[in-house]
Amino acid sequence: MSAELFSRGDAARAALSVFYETFNDLDVYIEDTAEGYDKIFARLLSRALDGKIAIDRVFPLGERGIVIDAARANVGQTSTRVSVYIVDGDLYLLAGEKVALPNNLIVLPRYCIENFLFDKESLLQILDEADAINDIGTLEQALDYEGWIGALSVALRPLFCIFAVSHSLSSGIKTVKNGSRSVCKDAFGNIDQAKVAGLFNQIHTELSALHGVVVVESLLKKVENRVMASECFATKYVSGKDFVLPLLFLRLRSISKSKASHINFKIRLANKCNTDSFSHVASKIKFAMAA
């Protein structure tokens, strides 16, 4: 999206920060405009910063291109007030960025904000609070977090790599938006290997018809080389919003029978989850404040 498409409506959303200068030590702008996401971001940031930098509210602007354009427009401004812009890692983590990004922009080191919300201990706390019968050991066994997230990583790695190839080629083929239902096996949030293989083959075939098998295979190798072996593939590279959390919610509900909404789950997780994985973002904000 070009800078001239940063519209009056976008500018108006950005200008909202003026009304919160008393409560915020800096202005933080994000992509997600859906209900509750500004609260999730603010909670995570505030907790990761140990409350040392006040962030009462963040400001959603819209899609990635709008946030990048807003960041570029802010570069070189003489205002003494610090502004930071945050975008999702998205498929760019695997496919690579297509354009140079401004220095006042932070790219999340995971796919999206949902990818920072869950860890074993916070999930067990939520299960324990929702279950009046079973002890924590029984709940931990039922959750089998390590086994489940490990299986997710193995199963979805080839799929998200081909998604990244499709993204790199700007093919327009439906990928991430296929969502968790396209790979879900059961009410416990497990993965159906046959569905994954079918979706992978479908996209690979479509891409090969458009660009040739040699191009597709070459890009697949490049994508695979970007995968960090030290990181959990599911928590870093798989969409938390469209895949991991929907599958996780199924698993949690199968154990606790909770009827809480997805956004309620997300806010509770934002209040409980370990924020170590968010330290990269917190460090960038501290650096911006000290500059």
Side-chain angles (χ1 to χ4, degrees):
M1 178 175 290
S2 60
E4 61 265 24
L5 293 182
F6 184 62
S7 68
R8 290 183 181 179
D10 303 326
R13 283 195 293 271
L16 281 174
S17 60
V18 173
F19 299 103
Y20 292 89
E21 290 184 355
T22 304
F23 308 102
N24 290 341
D25 288 338
L26 78 162
D27 301 322
V28 179
Y29 301 95
I30 65 171
E31 292 183 57
D32 294 289
T33 58
E35 183 180 14
Y37 276 81
D38 53 346
K39 188 173 186 176
I40 289 168
F41 255 99
R43 291 284 173 85
L44 273 181
L45 282 172
S46 182
R47 292 180 61 225
L49 291 163
D50 298 320
K52 294 176 182 176
I53 297 175
I55 301 177
D56 186 67
R57 179 171 175 178
V58 302
F59 306 97
L61 295 181
E63 67 173 357
R64 198 176 202 263
I66 292 173
V67 180
I68 293 172
D69 284 346
R72 286 201 183 102
N74 182 258
V75 172
Q77 295 295 315
T78 57
S79 172
T80 57
R81 189 162 181 85
V82 175
S83 294
V84 169
Y85 301 79
I86 302 176
V87 294
D88 293 345
D90 215 294
L91 289 172
Y92 296 93
L93 294 175
L94 291 171
E97 294 289 346
K98 296 182 178 181
V99 297
L101 301 175
N103 291 333
N104 57 348
L105 185 82
I106 299 173
V107 179
L108 291 180
R110 295 187 176 187
Y111 193 99
C112 59
I113 193 63
E114 281 89 345
N115 290 69
F116 296 90
L117 292 180
F118 48 91
D119 59 80
K120 179 180 175 180
E121 294 308 314
S122 62
L123 292 171
L124 285 174
Q125 285 181 37
I126 286 177
L127 282 174
D128 192 42
E129 291 168 2
D131 194 302
I133 300 171
N134 296 299
D135 60 33
I136 199 76
T138 302
L139 294 172
E140 181 176 6
Q141 186 176 9
L143 179 62
D144 184 25
Y145 178 75
E146 290 90 353
W148 177 79
I149 203 72
L152 216 65
S153 292
V154 172
L156 294 181
R157 177 168 174 158
L159 189 59
F160 268 77
C161 285
I162 199 69
F163 284 176
V165 170
S166 181
H167 174 80
S168 179
L169 291 169
S170 302
S171 71
I173 295 171
K174 186 178 179 183
T175 57
V176 178
K177 292 304 178 184
N178 280 288
S180 61
R181 291 183 180 180
S182 66
V183 298
C184 186
K185 180 179 181 179
D186 53 34
F188 297 98
N190 292 313
I191 294 291
D192 188 318
Q193 297 280 4
K195 287 183 178 179
V196 172
L199 187 53
F200 175 92
N201 291 334
Q202 174 191 329
I203 294 171
H204 193 291
T205 299
E206 290 182 41
L207 289 174
S208 297
L210 289 170
H211 304 282
V213 175
V214 173
V215 170
V216 173
E217 287 298 320
S218 175
L219 286 174
L220 264 177
K221 288 180 181 178
K222 288 182 180 179
V223 167
E224 282 284 357
N225 287 335
R226 288 195 177 99
V227 176
M228 297 174 65
S230 60
E231 300 271 1
C232 170
F233 191 90
T235 57
K236 184 175 180 69
Y237 299 108
V238 176
S239 171
K241 179 182 293 182
D242 295 303
F243 280 78
V244 184
L245 272 186
L247 292 168
L248 180 58
F249 290 148
L250 283 176
R251 196 165 189 82
L252 294 178
R253 283 176 174 161
S254 72
I255 298 169
S256 70
K257 311 303 180 188
S258 171
K259 294 188 181 348
S261 68
H262 282 198
I263 192 61
N264 176 265
F265 264 129
K266 290 177 184 180
I267 291 172
R268 290 175 70 192
L269 286 170
N271 286 325
K272 291 178 180 291
C273 68
N274 188 303
T275 60
D276 288 351
S277 61
F278 213 59
S279 60
H280 169 82
V281 179
S283 295
K284 292 269 190 179
I285 288 176
K286 289 175 184 176
F287 180 81
M289 290 293 290

